[in-house]
Amino acid sequence: MAVNSGGELVVNARPMMRTLVAALLSFVVFPAAVCAADLSFQIVDKDKVVSKLDFDSEEISVEVVESLGGNHAVQIKLPPSRLDEFERITALNTGRTMRIVVGGAVVADPTILEPISGEYVHITGLFSREEAQALADQLD
């Protein structure tokens, strides 16, 4: 982890699905105290939103889990009714940025490396429990 010239915390991370397939890589976690009402996954191409999936806070669940190597991860459980749509959109947008937006504020912006399937999205990295909890609090 490092802080860039803009004061943002830069984290090299490898989000993974339940099947432990790496799906997203190298994202920036934006420190923001946000009271989350909604979660949006926005597909971005050259800073333009080309597609998005919005979720009500009641549709998802967020928790901190222990990941490989004793680090911690943030686990987002997606609703079963939206899994096909999520996989389709990520399959069509491999290589693009996926902003994770909560209450209108960007909290992370990973790159889609491959289609994301399954009901769980794991945001992993060299997170301490406190760092993972801070991100989970922004998402929940």
Side-chain angles (χ1 to χ4, degrees):
M1 286 186 277
V3 177
N4 68 16
S5 60
E8 300 164 333
L9 178 64
V10 179
V11 179
N12 287 326
R14 291 193 71 198
M16 303 167 91
M17 297 304 298
R18 180 177 59 159
T19 57
L20 299 179
V21 175
L24 307 171
L25 179 65
S26 294
F27 66 93
V28 177
V29 176
F30 296 86
V34 178
C35 180
D38 296 302
L39 173 69
S40 180
F41 293 95
Q42 300 179 355
I43 308 300
V44 180
D45 186 24
K46 297 179 183 160
D47 226 20
K48 178 183 174 192
V49 176
V50 295
S51 184
K52 70 178 184 169
L53 285 172
D54 295 325
F55 294 89
D56 292 328
S57 57
E58 295 82 29
E59 288 184 282
I60 62 163
S61 64
V62 179
E63 66 179 316
V64 173
V65 295
E66 191 167 330
S67 63
L68 300 175
N71 293 308
H72 293 82
V74 176
Q75 176 176 278
I76 303 169
K77 184 177 181 184
L78 302 175
S81 62
R82 308 285 299 277
L83 298 179
D84 289 342
E85 182 182 18
F86 192 82
E87 183 175 8
R88 182 184 60 77
I89 285 178
T90 58
L92 292 172
N93 291 287
T94 301
R96 289 189 170 150
T97 298
M98 177 189 286
R99 286 185 187 151
I100 302 174
V101 180
V102 178
V106 177
V107 296
D109 63 351
T111 298
I112 303 168
L113 296 181
E114 58 190 28
I116 301 171
S117 62
E119 64 183 337
Y120 295 100
V121 175
H122 290 93
I123 303 173
T124 64
L126 300 176
F127 295 127
S128 67
R129 178 134 186 71
E130 294 76 21
E131 291 166 328
Q133 189 61 57
L135 179 56
D137 289 346
Q138 290 179 358
L139 296 171
D140 194 20

